[in-house]
Amino acid sequence: MPHLRVEYSQDLASGPELAAWLDALHAAACASGLFPASHIKVRAHPVSQYRVGGEVRPFVHLEVRLKSGRSLAQRQALSEAVLRALQDRIGEAVITVEVTEMEAASYARHDPQDGDRDRPD
């Protein structure tokens, strides 16, 4: 945990540039001190058809999903940190960040690489 899901206008980035975004987001989430590096998942999803304010304008939306238990101040700091990580790498685009809590009791996972250990984060 957490899951960082990036939706972005597909003409905004590709290849090495996109990989740099994902690396920067992973680093920012790790630097928050809220999660071990090995627990952070980052995924990117290009969007081919979109409108921002009724216009075709480049955008990035980052959804951060994490289990409940972090304070509002921690969630706000995380939101600002990942926003800065994107701002440092993206030119003229609308960038938004949404931090959403998931209910830990209803979250399930399977990872054969770690023996399916139950993680508190």
Side-chain angles (χ1 to χ4, degrees):
M1 192 56 45
H3 295 268
L4 285 73
R5 180 181 170 163
V6 183
E7 285 187 336
Y8 64 98
S9 47
Q10 74 177 11
D11 53 342
L12 200 56
S14 64
E17 186 178 34
L18 182 57
W21 292 6
L22 302 184
D23 291 342
L25 288 169
H26 186 272
C30 190
S32 73
L34 297 174
F35 329 96
S38 63
H39 294 197
I40 301 165
K41 297 123 182 116
V42 186
R43 299 182 296 275
H45 303 276
V47 177
S48 62
Q49 298 292 320
Y50 55 88
R51 301 292 184 271
V52 176
E55 300 174 26
V56 177
R57 293 177 53 205
F59 79 94
V60 176
H61 176 72
L62 174 62
E63 180 185 15
V64 180
R65 297 185 50 84
L66 48 92
K67 288 182 186 174
S68 57
R70 278 37 173 231
S71 70
L72 177 58
Q74 288 173 316
R75 295 190 316 269
Q76 288 172 327
L78 177 61
S79 179
E80 288 297 321
V82 294
L83 176 63
R84 280 191 308 275
L86 289 173
Q87 285 175 313
D88 291 346
R89 284 155 187 83
I90 299 172
E92 297 297 316
V94 176
I95 304 171
T96 56
V97 177
E98 174 187 13
V99 177
T100 306
E101 288 187 303
M102 301 181 332
E103 183 180 284
S106 64
Y107 180 76
R109 68 183 298 275
H110 168 76
D111 185 345
Q113 289 188 5
D114 70 5
D116 290 329
R117 293 176 297 193
D118 186 27
R119 294 180 179 164
D121 62 351

